[in-house]
């Protein structure tokens, strides 16, 4: 079982597929709920059911979460993370965002993006830049702890295709920005946590 911190604070959890990053976030939420009967925990899910396999995957994750952390509520919000953080913001509420990678995908690679013209693509990029800024403002103003889950996908070979390379670059930049503002950053590999950044003091 992954080792959890003795104090719960805003944390960014990075890792590859099936690295244990979502499980760590759920266990932090479980511990938060156990600390006080006044505590609440809400998972903001950014996944969208694009196809049957994704629908089944989402349903499986929902069942597993309900078994592991029965008190963890869920809010489905694929795009407006800033609005979700403001809506849920409370000193007694821990918010889990799972995950930032899909949130970026929903904004920068939406359905039909491959057929967009230059003007539409520029407008989409502008919208994403604004949403990203709104998100960071809401994150830094959050009155309670926020646990953010994201993928580290930049450790392999340089991908083929301009759009995919642009996505990898955008995700790397997003991860760096998130890591900069979060007091705790953890890299997950094979279910084991590696502390990249810890709160000062």
């Amino acid at each position: 079982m992954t080792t959890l911190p003795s104090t719960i604070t805003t944390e960014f959890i990075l890792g590859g597929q099936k690295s244990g990053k979502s499980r760590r976030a759920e266990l932090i939420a479980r511990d938060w709920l156990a600390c006080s009967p006044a505590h609440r925990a809400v998972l903001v899910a950014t996944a969208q059911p694009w196809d049957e396999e994704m629908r089944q995957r989402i349903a499986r994750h929902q069942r597993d979460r309900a078994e592991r952390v029965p008190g963890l509520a869920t809010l489905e919000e694929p795009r407006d993370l800033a609005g979700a953080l403001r809506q849920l913001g409370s000193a007694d509420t821990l918010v889990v965002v799972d995950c930032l990678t899909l949130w970026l995908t929903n904004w920068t690679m939406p359905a039909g993006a491959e057929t967009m013209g230059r003007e539409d693509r520029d407008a989409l990029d502008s919208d994403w830049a604004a949403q990203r800024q709104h998100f960071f403002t809401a994150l830094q103003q959050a009155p309670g702890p926020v646990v953010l889950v994201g993928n580290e996908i930049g450790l392999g070979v340089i991908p083929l295709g301009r759009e995919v390379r642009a996505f990898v670059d955008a995700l790397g930049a997003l991860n760096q920005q998130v890591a900069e503002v979060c007091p705790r950053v953890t890299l997950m590999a094979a279910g084991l946590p590696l502390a990249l950044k810890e709160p000062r003091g």
Side-chain angles (χ1 to χ4, degrees):
M1 179 175 291
T2 182
T3 303
L4 296 176
S6 57
T7 58
I8 296 175
T9 186
T10 292
E11 179 172 348
F12 183 28
I13 305 172
L14 278 166
Q17 286 293 104
K18 297 300 180 183
S19 61
K21 57 189 183 299
S22 293
R23 177 67 63 88
R24 177 182 176 86
E26 291 172 3
L27 293 176
I28 292 171
R30 182 201 63 186
D31 283 5
W32 173 260
L33 290 169
C35 286
S36 168
H39 280 181
R40 295 175 60 242
V42 182
L43 181 135
V44 179
T46 60
Q48 297 186 87
W50 299 300
D51 53 35
E52 183 56 31
E53 187 276 336
M54 194 63 176
R55 280 189 285 272
Q56 293 178 8
R57 180 183 289 263
I58 290 172
R60 184 172 66 252
H61 285 316
Q62 290 172 338
R63 289 193 300 270
D64 291 346
R65 281 198 305 268
E67 291 179 5
R68 288 193 292 261
V69 193
L72 180 60
T74 300
L75 171 67
E76 295 182 6
E77 181 45 72
R79 287 166 65 89
D80 188 11
L81 285 190
L85 290 178
R86 292 191 181 98
Q87 172 188 337
L88 300 170
S90 165
D92 293 332
T93 300
L94 179 142
V95 179
V96 176
V97 176
D98 196 353
C99 74
L100 292 180
T101 310
L102 287 175
W103 175 58
L104 174 63
T105 302
N106 296 337
W107 271 104
T108 62
M109 303 178 72
E114 65 279 0
T115 62
M116 283 183 177
R118 185 70 241 174
E119 187 175 324
D120 289 337
R121 170 52 72 178
D122 288 345
L124 185 64
D125 291 344
S126 178
D127 289 345
W128 159 242
Q131 284 297 321
R132 186 180 60 215
Q133 184 56 52
H134 293 326
F135 163 72
F136 278 106
T137 299
L139 176 61
Q140 291 174 290
Q141 293 176 350
V146 181
V147 177
L148 303 152
V149 178
N151 289 83
E152 174 52 74
I153 65 173
L155 299 177
V157 298
I158 298 174
L160 296 174
R162 181 178 63 83
E163 292 82 4
V164 179
R165 287 195 297 271
F167 179 82
V168 173
D169 288 347
L171 181 60
L174 176 63
N175 286 347
Q176 289 188 49
Q177 287 180 284
V178 175
E180 185 176 349
V181 301
C182 289
R184 177 176 285 126
V185 181
T186 304
L187 177 67
M188 296 297 298
L192 300 174
L194 174 64
L196 301 181
K197 180 181 178 183
E198 290 286 353
R200 295 177 181 177

